[in-house]
Every structure is written in structure tokens, then in C-alpha cells.
Amino acid sequence: MDFATLGITVLWTFLYGYVVIASIDFGAGFYNFYAKLTNQDNIITPIINRYLNPVWEVTNVFFVFFFVGIVGFFPDTAYYLGTVLLIPASISLIMLAIRGSYYAFNQYSKGTNMVWTFLYGVTGLFIPASLSVALVISEGGFIEETAAGLDLDYVELFFSGYTWSVVFLAVISVLYISSGFLLFYSNRAKAKQAVHLTRTWFLTWTIPMLVISQFVFLELRATNREHFDNATQNYWYFFLCSIVFMAIAVYLVYKKKNYGIAFIMVMLQFAFAFFGYGISKLPYILYPFIKLDAVVNDSMAIALVIVFVLGLLLLIPSLIILMRLFLFDKDYVQGKE
Amino acid sequence: MEDVLIGRILTGLTLGVHILYATVGVGIPLLIMILEFLGIKKNDYHYLTMARRIAMGYTVTVAVGVVTGTIIGLQLSLIWPQFMQLAGHIIALPLFMETFAFFFEAIFLGIYLYTWDRFKNRWHHWYLTIPVVLGAGISAVFITMVNSFMNSPAGFKIVDGVLQNVDPLKAMFNPSMPERVFHVLVTAYMTAAFIMVTIAAFNLLKSKFDEDREYHKKGLKVMMVIGLIMAGLTVLAGDLSAKYLHNHQPEKLAAMEWHFETESNADLILFGVLDEENQEVKGALRIPSALSILSDWKPSTEVTGLNDIPKDEWPPLVIHYFFDVMVFFGMFGLGASLLYFILKWLKPNLVHSKLMLYIYVLTGPLSFLAIEAGWFTAELGRQPWMVRGYMRVSEAITEASGLGLTLILFGILYFVLVTTTILVLTRMFKDKSAKESQIQYYGTESLDETGGRF
């Protein structure tokens, strides 16, 4: 495997990791707010807090890891994406900042505050929406090269059907993944009411999930035909697997059994869709400006790969400890400490 | 041209806010580690409670530190895309390693904060401070390496606009790296300790909880010890930095000292006002030959003056004021902590006198100001270069429109974040005495011993 392929595989895997754990986090914030509005917060809020308190910071690192990594392996992305994303990424950053800080403010300050819960909950849906714009732009057609330099065509972006289908896909995925996880966690916590509530949420989002996925495909066909053809002709089996895993997850939840397996199925569903999308996109990272071969010089690539392997040797055991303490420790999950 | 200025202001603003939180973020874990160690070792609930209370406040500053750190991480690509393109080729390694260190710290900080009562053996919980302190310190080391590279680029060649012979390790271990890393670390530990000195002294002056006096006095003493050591090391770090600048970046040293003519027996200039036209300094305190000695131990050392440097490569001369602020406010803590120990030895009853407490209260904020001033000196002193000798800031600025709007939005954001942080931190501790916290954490039986001790 050459460095470029290795680099993009590593980065894409981290982005996938971020999509899953950030979705849990973003969705939890929104559900927390929703539960408070409907006076159900005593059922679900303690469970959300028990999970999120020790891990929210780690979630953020996955994101930092991705954007530092992509500049490291593919420095040209810093120039193209950095230039055109000034406004969209700044908006995402401001919302991330509000969300991250107000989570802590809310958590460690005396008495929770409805305004803070609101800020925390609503930004949880706007952030994935605004971050997903980066993926839309990478399909090509939105960047103009003028004499003054690169610029983003906001009109084109705003009126594109593809933009909106991806934005809705992001938001619905967040609510879908998050409810799947909270269902599993509530079940482990033996909180009956919470199980009931989160199960309803999960089943509610299955149909919109299916519908929006179809829309994304239709719009991709109009936006970047080459990518669409590659996905449907060469890599169709990724998307087929994804649908099968989704069917299993929904079946298990509907039959009220094996919520843990059901969540693993949800993760597989997204893994196959995400990697299928990623592979069919290659060799372009940013269509048509950056191809996979825009990787850094060899000596840096070797150094990055070595550091990456060493880093993982340190990270994986640490993450396992974290999960064993707060995810798989029965007493902790059930609130007994 | 205007974009360059806006870009610089925005970057400066973000970093100016971030370093407040980052300094605390690097320094506080060490304090928590020491306090918990003392608590377990001496079986003293005061120290244990102190560690827990500080850790509680720390979570809030960490949260904001993480988000402002994320912001600057991405903003570098958004505001200075060409710089990051170049940086990706040469210093991606320390940038990448910094995220690993941060990752490591984040994992163990989460574990540390939520397992206070989960281990039967207290030492097991204390061990968790080791990865947190290491993670925080090492991430500071790596990110300082990146910044040092911008001051003293190394490990590559540009031939006809193409990067060649890239050596990632040489870029990391660039000439200015050792002094700067040392300087950043010790000042972070110093500032964190003096912030705690400020809090303890403030509580001794104003707190309505009389039962906490012994608790705050104990805290004051520990923090003064750490503060004194770190402030001493800071002086050493500053001296090493001056010697580095003399040898490798003379234009910065000359601008810091308004030193125009190359000469030996160069004077050190303190304070003063500059008449830029005539290169005359008014109202300054001159210490004969001190600049030469500072640069290389002996008065005969010849110090390069600004007039020997092309005018379009001069750093802004305003950095002299920042330099003065850094040195004086940085030394303030050293003086205050020295005074504390001298009094403790000679006149113990004056150690906690009102006047002294007011002096202690100042150490924290002044250390913060010194940190800010120090970074302003270092970063403005690198102008007009983005990467010294290779890329000017005007070549690195983004081509995108809308920088002005971003500046306004982020300005509002930082104002809100900083205000809320202060508000939340005050509310957290205002109405709760340390004694109450101790009972909450360890039960009433922890009070049975005199002075919180077994």
C-alpha cells in the first residue's frame, strides 16, 4: 500500500469514528433539550450525563485528529479547503465552541439553565449540518478560480439539491445513531422508562433515514455523475450491505431484543455507507483540484505513519480502559458507582 | 494589505484568548498532582479537598481551552492557507504528535475526574495524574516546536519554489526549540501556581468562611513553593532566550531593546519612549553593558543593531513595551514569593498581614499579563515573516473574502466565553466553603482530626 492510500484510509477511519461518537454526543444534546421541553428530563438526562461526562472531550479530539491529519498527509487540502471554507467553517467553529463550553458551564454550574440547555441542544443539530457542507464542496462545482484567487460560489451551494439532501442526511443520522446508542445504554442501566422512550425515538427515525439516503443518491447523480456511476457500478455492494445491516438493527429493536447487537448493526450500516462513499470518490479528494497523489513528501509521510502506529499503541489501550470504566462497567452504568 | 491586518488581528485575538486557557491547562494538572500526593502522603483532607476543588474548576477551563484550541487549529488553515500548505510539508509531524498527546490527556482526564471514589487504594487514583500531567506538558512541547519552526526554520530547502530535502526531525528540533519549550513550560507552571496564590490570598482577605483560614494558608504555602521554583527557572529560561536571539535572530533582540547601532558594551534599556525619526530614546533607564552581558556573558560582546538589518525586515519597535511588561510582571511573582519566605523566616507574624496578602493577590493576574506580553513580544518580533526568511505574512493570507465578518463574529464569541467562564467559576465557589466541600467529598468523619489531619 502506498502512503497516499494508507494516509487516506487512516484519516477516513478517524472521520468515521468522529461521525459515530459525535453523532451520539450531538443527538444526546438535542434529546436532552427535547426531554426537558416535554418534562421527561428526569428519565433520560441522568443517563445522558453518566455517559457523556467522562467522554465528551475525547469526541472533540477525533475531529482535531482528522483536520490536523489531513493537512499533514495532504497539505494541498489546507490551501483549497482552507481558502473556500473560511465562512462555513468559521460558523461551524463558533457553534462547536458554544456547544463545548456551554456543556461544561451547564454541567458544573449550580442548577441547570434552560437557555444553556437550548444552546447546547440546538447547536447539536446545526453543527453536523454545517460540517457536512465540506463534503458537498468536495464533490466539485462550487469553487471558482478567479484572478484574485479561489472563492466559494455561495449561490450555487445554497440552491443545490445535493447540499440540502446531505445536510438533512447529517441531521437525521445524528438523531438515528444517537437514539440507537442511548437505547443500548439505557438498557444496560436498567432504566425501563428510558428504554421505552429511546426505542420510540429510534423507530421514529428509521423511515426518514431510508428516504433521505435515496435522495442523496439522486442528487449525487445530478452533481457529480462520475462519482455516482463509480458508486453504483463498482461499489454497489457496500451500499447493499449497509441496507441489510440497517434492516437487522431495526428488526432487533422492533422485537425488543439485543439492543447491543442492534447498535453494532447501526455502526456497520454507517461504516459500509461511509466507506462505500469514500472509495467511490477516489482518486479525488477535492474534485477536480486535489487527487490522492497530492500526498506530502516521502520522508514526512514515513514519519507520520511511524508516529501514527506508535500513537495507536498508546491510544487503543487507553480507550479500552475508558470504555471499560464508563461503558462496560455495570455498576457505573447503573449509577451505583 | 487590509486583509493581512485583519488576519493578524483575528489570529492574535484567538491566540490571546487561547493562551489564557492553555497556560492554565498545562499548569494546573501539575498542581493537582502535587496536592493529591501531599494529601495521600500526609493523610491530610485539606490537600485532598483542595485537589478536588481545583479539579472541578479546571474542568470548566479545560472545556473552553479545548474549544479555543480547536478554533486556532482550524483557523490556521482558514486564515493562512498557504502557510499550512507549507507547514504540512515540513512540520506536520509535531502537529500530528500534539494531537496524540492531547488525545492521551483527554482520555485520562476523563477517567481521573470521574473516578475519585472508585478505587479502594488512593494511590491508584493518583497514578492517573501522571498521564494527564505528561499529556498536557508534551502537547505544549510539540506545539511550541511548531511555533519555533516559524522563528528558526530548519530541515528543508526551497529550490526554484519547490521543497526539497525535507527532514521532519530537523524541522522539529530546530535551533530555537529548546529555549522556547523550556520557557513555555516553566512559565505555565509558574502562572498556574500564582493563580492559586491569588485565590488563596483573596480568600484570606475577603472570604466570609472563617473556618477555611487554615485550608487557604496551607494552599498558599504549597503554591508559593512551586511558584518560587518555577519563577527562578523562568529567569534562567529568559536568559537563555536572550542568548539564543543574540546568536540567531538579532533583529528581534535589537527591536526589543531599541538597539540601533551595532556595538560592544551595549546598554540594556528599561522603559522609556522612542522618537522613531531620530532613533532617540527618552526617559529610559540605561544599565551600562547589560545587553552585551545578557547576550553573551561579557561586556565586550558586540550586539547587532537594527541599522545593520534591511529596513523592510525590521520587527515593529513597539515590542519593547511588551518586553518590559513581560519582564517586570514576570518578576513580580518571584519577588512576592521570595518575600513570603523571607518573612516566614524572619517575621512570621507578618506573612499573612493585609499588605502582604494584597501583594500576593496581584501575582496571578500579573503573571497572566506577563504571559500575554511575552507572546506578543515573540510573535510581533517575528514580523514581517510568517516563516522567518521564507514566507512573509502578506504571502500567506487567505484569498477568500469575508475576513472582516469572521473577526466580528469571533470577537463576540470570545467576549461571551470569557465572561461566562468568570461568572461560572465565581458561582461555583462563592457560596461553598472548603469545609462544606470536604464534608461532601469525604463525610463528617474526615473532620474529626485536628486540622483536617488524622
Side-chain angles (χ1 to χ4, degrees):
Chain A
M1 206 192 273
D2 60 294
F3 293 126
T5 320
L6 190 66
I8 199 72
T9 312
V10 164
L11 292 172
W12 202 246
T13 310
F14 265 85
L15 192 58
Y16 166 72
Y18 180 66
V19 166
V20 172
I21 63 169
S23 294
I24 296 174
D25 188 337
F26 291 142
F30 178 78
Y31 286 128
N32 186 40
F33 170 63
Y34 173 78
K36 207 160 182 173
L37 268 187
T38 51
N39 287 323
Q40 292 169 309
D41 51 327
N42 55 337
I43 301 175
I44 193 74
T45 304
I47 292 180
I48 290 176
N49 287 345
R50 214 175 294 152
Y51 164 72
L52 276 185
N53 276 346
V55 303
W56 64 267
E57 216 192 328
V58 178
T59 310
N60 208 55
V61 190
F62 270 86
F63 179 51
V64 176
F65 198 101
F66 175 76
F67 71 68
V68 170
I70 197 164
V71 172
F73 276 100
F74 305 98
D76 292 349
T77 54
Y79 172 62
Y80 282 95
L81 285 177
T83 306
V84 298
L85 285 177
L86 177 66
I87 299 287
S90 292
I91 293 171
S92 309
L93 275 178
I94 287 170
M95 284 191 294
L96 266 176
I98 291 175
R99 202 186 125 84
S101 340
Y102 280 80
Y103 174 74
F105 293 156
N106 205 5
Q107 217 53 44
Y108 305 108
S109 162
K110 268 180 223 155
T112 51
N113 182 325
M114 194 60 190
V115 181
W116 292 359
T117 316
F118 168 79
L119 282 176
Y120 173 64
V122 173
T123 48
L125 296 188
F126 280 123
I127 294 167
S130 64
L131 285 179
S132 62
V133 171
L135 285 181
V136 176
I137 290 171
S138 73
E139 290 300 336
F142 303 103
I143 297 176
E144 289 170 349
E145 262 183 319
T146 61
L150 301 173
D151 225 335
L152 186 60
D153 188 341
Y154 287 100
V155 180
E156 182 78 13
L157 188 66
F158 191 81
F159 288 105
S160 153
Y162 184 61
T163 310
W164 293 103
S165 60
V166 169
V167 164
F168 280 108
L169 174 69
V171 172
I172 293 169
S173 308
V174 159
L175 294 167
Y176 174 82
I177 295 177
S178 181
S179 57
F181 177 80
L182 290 177
L183 174 58
F184 154 72
Y185 204 75
S186 316
N187 191 48
R188 276 194 77 85
K190 295 208 164 76
K192 280 217 176 81
Q193 283 177 299
V195 170
H196 180 74
L197 196 64
T198 47
R199 181 173 168 272
T200 320
W201 289 342
F202 181 80
L203 292 175
T204 310
W205 290 111
T206 51
I207 302 293
M209 188 69 227
L210 273 175
V211 174
I212 195 70
S213 316
Q214 304 316 306
F215 266 106
V216 169
F217 266 99
L218 282 176
E219 292 294 343
L220 179 64
R221 192 183 143 129
T223 308
N224 185 339
R225 187 60 194 255
E226 206 178 321
H227 185 184
F228 175 82
D229 287 346
N230 199 19
T232 48
Q233 282 161 22
N234 302 328
Y235 297 104
W236 53 271
Y237 47 88
F238 274 91
F239 303 98
L240 182 71
C241 287
S242 176
I243 291 187
V244 171
F245 287 122
M246 181 179 179
I248 302 174
V250 175
Y251 174 79
L252 288 174
V253 172
Y254 183 72
K255 286 283 175 194
K256 299 188 182 176
K257 53 188 177 191
N258 290 328
Y259 294 134
I261 307 257
F263 185 67
I264 291 175
M265 292 299 137
V266 170
M267 286 201 284
L268 285 173
Q269 172 198 338
F270 275 89
F272 274 86
F274 197 74
F275 279 90
Y277 167 80
I279 287 181
S280 56
K281 199 173 156 59
L282 293 179
Y284 290 102
I285 294 176
L286 173 64
Y287 186 89
F289 301 106
I290 306 175
K291 275 189 164 186
L292 199 56
D293 55 17
V295 74
V296 281
N297 55 80
D298 277 359
S299 48
M300 181 52 82
I302 297 171
L304 288 178
V305 170
I306 294 172
V307 163
F308 180 75
V309 172
L310 292 178
L312 277 192
L313 290 179
L314 195 70
L315 278 190
I316 292 173
S318 319
L319 278 172
I320 291 175
I321 298 177
L322 186 75
M323 290 201 284
R324 278 181 55 173
L325 283 169
F326 301 107
L327 206 54
F328 299 117
D329 186 294
K330 263 209 172 105
D331 290 344
Y332 176 81
V333 176
Q334 293 176 12
K336 292 180 199 156
E337 293 253 341
Chain B
M1 181 59 210
E2 202 183 326
D3 270 357
V4 177
L5 186 63
I6 300 176
R8 283 177 59 197
I9 295 174
L10 179 52
T11 312
L13 188 63
T14 304
L15 279 171
V17 173
H18 179 61
I19 54 178
L20 295 176
Y21 293 96
T23 305
V24 166
V26 172
I28 297 281
L30 183 74
L31 308 184
I32 296 176
M33 180 190 221
I34 292 171
L35 288 172
E36 199 182 353
F37 178 86
L38 289 173
I40 303 173
K41 193 86 189 158
K42 296 185 169 184
N43 224 331
D44 187 328
Y45 284 98
H46 277 157
Y47 290 125
L48 290 174
T49 310
M50 216 176 288
R52 275 177 91 147
R53 268 167 74 101
I54 293 177
M56 210 168 89
Y58 181 62
T59 41
V60 173
T61 61
V62 165
V64 187
V66 168
V67 298
T68 51
T70 311
I71 291 176
I72 189 62
L74 254 178
Q75 249 179 12
L76 283 176
S77 296
L78 298 175
I79 307 176
W80 314 102
Q82 282 93 331
F83 163 64
M84 284 306 268
Q85 197 177 15
L86 179 76
H89 280 288
I90 311 159
I91 39 165
L93 193 62
L95 267 178
F96 202 51
M97 283 158 93
E98 199 264 348
T99 26
F100 271 111
F102 173 37
F103 218 140
F104 191 58
E105 183 200 350
I107 291 174
F108 283 96
L109 185 65
I111 298 179
Y112 179 79
L113 292 173
Y114 293 93
T115 52
W116 281 100
D117 302 310
R118 259 171 98 171
F119 301 102
K120 279 208 184 75
N121 184 339
R122 281 183 178 162
W123 287 111
H124 289 172
H125 185 253
W126 181 79
Y127 294 144
L128 291 169
T129 58
I130 299 170
V132 178
V133 171
L134 282 179
I138 291 174
S139 61
V141 170
F142 286 133
I143 211 65
T144 311
M145 281 176 168
V146 175
N147 186 268
S148 303
F149 170 85
M150 297 162 78
N151 282 278
S152 54
F156 71 105
K157 260 189 203 147
I158 293 184
V159 184
D160 302 328
V162 182
L163 276 172
Q164 286 186 342
N165 300 339
V166 175
D167 183 339
L169 288 178
K170 262 197 187 146
M172 269 174 78
F173 295 95
N174 57 71
S176 68
M177 188 281 284
E179 290 86 353
R180 305 178 108 246
V181 164
F182 181 51
H183 202 146
V184 165
L185 278 182
V186 290
T187 49
Y189 295 134
M190 175 187 91
T191 307
F194 284 132
I195 288 295
M196 291 305 145
V197 165
T198 298
I199 293 174
F202 181 82
N203 277 309
L204 286 171
L205 276 170
K206 301 273 176 202
S207 174
K208 55 187 173 193
F209 305 113
D210 273 339
E211 74 262 33
D212 285 352
R213 292 193 74 81
E214 198 193 342
Y215 168 92
H216 290 307
K217 281 181 185 171
K218 269 188 196 170
L220 187 66
K221 187 175 164 195
V222 176
M223 293 307 151
M224 281 295 193
V225 175
I226 303 172
L228 181 66
I229 296 171
M230 293 303 165
L233 290 173
T234 302
V235 174
L236 176 65
D239 186 60
L240 291 174
S241 297
K243 290 182 173 46
Y244 162 79
L245 287 178
H246 167 69
N247 288 320
H248 297 275
Q249 228 175 325
E251 76 279 6
K252 192 192 259 185
L253 187 66
M256 272 156 69
E257 276 303 312
W258 292 338
H259 183 65
F260 293 97
E261 296 302 329
T262 301
E263 60 187 2
S264 52
N265 293 316
D267 296 350
L268 188 74
I269 295 176
L270 301 174
F271 312 112
V273 184
L274 179 70
D275 172 7
E276 218 165 310
E277 289 281 301
N278 305 315
Q279 303 192 342
E280 257 176 50
V281 182
K282 281 175 196 151
L285 196 66
R286 285 177 174 271
I287 306 178
S289 304
L291 184 58
S292 289
I293 296 173
L294 193 66
S295 298
D296 198 22
W297 300 122
K298 34 186 200 297
S300 60
T301 304
E302 196 175 75
V303 183
T304 313
L306 278 170
N307 289 339
D308 282 355
I309 289 158
K311 193 131 196 200
D312 71 332
E313 290 180 17
W314 281 23
L317 297 178
V318 61
I319 62 172
H320 175 73
Y321 302 112
F322 290 106
F323 177 68
D324 278 349
V325 169
M326 170 183 82
V327 172
F328 277 88
F329 289 173
M331 299 283 239
F332 186 87
L334 181 66
S337 49
L338 264 179
L339 204 56
Y340 172 90
F341 287 104
I342 292 170
L343 285 179
K344 215 168 171 54
W345 186 45
L346 295 175
K347 295 237 187 271
N349 56 331
L350 287 180
V351 170
H352 298 112
S353 63
K354 255 204 167 136
L355 173 71
M356 288 315 295
L357 287 176
Y358 275 112
I359 291 176
Y360 306 152
V361 166
L362 287 175
T363 56
L366 293 188
S367 299
F368 259 147
L369 271 175
I371 294 257
E372 293 281 357
W375 275 113
F376 270 95
T377 312
E379 297 307 287
L380 285 172
R382 177 167 47 80
Q383 301 300 323
W385 299 107
M386 186 82 186
V387 178
R388 182 176 176 267
Y390 291 93
M391 181 184 265
R392 284 173 185 259
V393 286
S394 53
E395 296 163 330
I397 190 73
T398 182
E399 298 156 357
S401 44
L403 259 182
L405 176 71
T406 5
L407 175 62
I408 295 168
L409 290 177
F410 279 104
I412 297 171
L413 176 75
Y414 299 141
F415 176 76
V416 172
L417 287 187
V418 173
T419 325
T420 326
T421 311
I422 296 168
L423 205 83
V424 167
L425 284 178
T426 346
R427 275 221 306 223
M428 227 159 146
F429 298 107
K430 200 178 66 185
D431 297 318
K432 194 166 189 185
S433 68
K435 195 174 170 187
E436 259 179 86
S437 302
Q438 188 180 332
I439 294 171
Q440 184 200 337
Y441 298 147
Y442 299 105
T444 39
E445 58 270 32
S446 72
L447 296 173
D448 292 347
E449 316 78 26
T450 46
R453 199 170 294 185
F454 271 134

